[in-house]
Amino acid sequence: MPRPGRNTYSDQKPPYSYISLTAMAIQSSSEKMLPLSEIYKFIMDRFPYYRENTQRWQNSLRHNLSFNDCFIKIPRRPDQPGKGSFWALHPNCGDMFENGSFLRRRKRFKVLAADHLAPSKQSDAAHYLQQQAKLRLSALAATGTHLPQMSTYNLGVSQSSTFKHPFAIENIIAREYKVPGSLAFSTMQSMSAGYPLHNQLTTAWPHMYNTSVIDTAAPISMASSDYSAYGVPIKSLCHGGQSLPAIPVPIKPTPTSMPGFSALPPHIPAFLSNSPQSLSPTSPQTATSQSSPATPSETLTSPSTLQSVAVH
DNA sequence: TGATGTTTAGGCTTAC
DNA sequence: GTAAGCCTAAACATCA
């Protein structure tokens, strides 16, 4: 639970559950999937609190990965030796935090038995992904953008150009953008003394802030016969199938009630303060997140191919 | 052998 | 008050 310190969160427990932290880590990767060790690294890099008692929280984190259906394990391919599997977010886990709290989900994401894609549904998903790939290729051709080189594990085709994952920085800060004047930003800046995040937006959230990579230019990988046509199990590919989540801002457990704290997660301001460009309300990302009323259900063709349910 | 992954259990907190 | 979510601990299995 959040235990805001006097002036900083740097040595305090972040107001995020392990599920949130893990999801953030996964979302921060360009391929939307990370091995366990990288998830550890992400969390430790950004949250000093987790640089201690590693055995404790890492055990909890592993427990969460296994226990929660919102995380899916993607085996390494034979040509990618290494220990452990990759972990990704389930395509439909986007509404887990519908109440906006990163600390406690309103509903636990649960995959029904039928949700494990049947062959027919897999083909539907594959078809959908192909369509998305074509759309992206067309967009790239129009803009002259070249495809970034990615491994066969990438999930690039899974995200539509309008979809913003709940753990994406855009969603986290979206509400702040709507605050008139400079209050939001100044508040965020004042909090940048929290987690000493040394990375910039483009580093921590490359898939969100590198315009040549994210969204409109997500890479397409076609691949190896041992796996699906996309290099990974179909099930793990369809991040674009989720519903548009509510803007996830920690609403309850947060330091908002504490003097000097805003509702924004403490590490977010650090990102922003390091990336003035991304703060521009006229930036493509911001414009997209604000001006695009389209929901994934509107932009995606077959969300029904991936059924899941949040159980209470 | 250590890292990774699964499962079970108990206690605490929070939403309903 | 109850159910559900979260955290922590622990035991065990698997694998590089």
Side-chain angles (χ1 to χ4, degrees), chain A residues 133-152:
Chain A
K134 288 176 183 176
L135 289 174
R136 291 177 188 285
L137 284 171
S138 299
L140 290 174
T143 59
T145 307
H146 68 279
L147 285 172
Q149 186 173 0
M150 305 292 284
S151 82
T152 55

Side-chain angles (χ1 to χ4, degrees), chain A residues 5 14 51 65-66 102 104 117 130 137 142 174 182 196 233 240 282 287-288 303:
Chain A
R51 291 171 189 167
L65 283 171
S66 293
F102 282 119
R104 194 180 186 86
L117 299 180
Q130 286 180 336
L137 284 171
S182 60
T282 59
T288 299

Side-chain angles (χ1 to χ4, degrees), chain A residues 2-15:
Chain A
R3 300 179 181 87
R6 294 180 183 86
N7 300 312
T8 175
Y9 271 143
S10 60
D11 57 351
Q12 298 293 324
K13 190 171 187 176

Side-chain angles (χ1 to χ4, degrees), chain A residues 4 45 65 74 99 109 118 132 145 156 219 272 286 302:
Chain A
D45 281 350
L65 283 171
I74 301 173
N99 65 348
F109 179 80
Q132 291 298 307
T145 307
L272 295 175
T286 304
S302 59

Side-chain angles (χ1 to χ4, degrees), chain A residues 76-82 152-153 224 226-227:
Chain A
R76 288 178 185 268
R77 283 177 45 192
D79 59 344
Q80 291 202 341
T152 55
Y153 272 118
S224 104
D226 289 339
Y227 291 75

Side-chain angles (χ1 to χ4, degrees), chain A residues 92-149:
Chain A
N92 285 8
C93 70
D95 58 353
M96 279 193 308
F97 294 85
E98 62 182 32
N99 65 348
S101 171
F102 282 119
L103 251 186
R104 194 180 186 86
R105 293 173 298 177
R106 189 173 184 177
K107 300 170 184 175
R108 187 166 79 91
F109 179 80
K110 185 73 177 178
V111 177
L112 295 175
D115 191 27
H116 296 286
L117 299 180
S120 61
K121 291 190 175 181
Q122 287 185 358
S123 62
D124 289 343
H127 176 71
Y128 158 70
L129 291 171
Q130 286 180 336
Q131 296 285 353
Q132 291 298 307
K134 288 176 183 176
L135 289 174
R136 291 177 188 285
L137 284 171
S138 299
L140 290 174
T143 59
T145 307
H146 68 279
L147 285 172
Q149 186 173 0

Side-chain angles (χ1 to χ4, degrees), chain A residues 18 21-23 25-26 29 32-45 54-67 71-76 82-88:
Chain A
Y18 289 125
L21 292 170
T22 306
I26 293 171
S29 71
K32 302 297 176 290
M33 56 194 293
L34 283 177
L36 186 61
S37 60
E38 290 300 310
I39 296 174
Y40 290 160
K41 185 174 181 298
F42 176 93
I43 294 173
M44 286 190 289
D45 281 350
T54 56
Q55 290 301 315
R56 180 193 298 177
W57 69 263
Q58 287 179 356
N59 183 24
S60 295
L61 192 143
R62 288 195 304 273
H63 160 78
N64 275 281
L65 283 171
S66 293
F67 184 76
F71 299 114
I72 51 181
K73 190 173 66 176
I74 301 173
R76 288 178 185 268
K83 206 161 189 178
S85 305
F86 287 91
W87 290 93

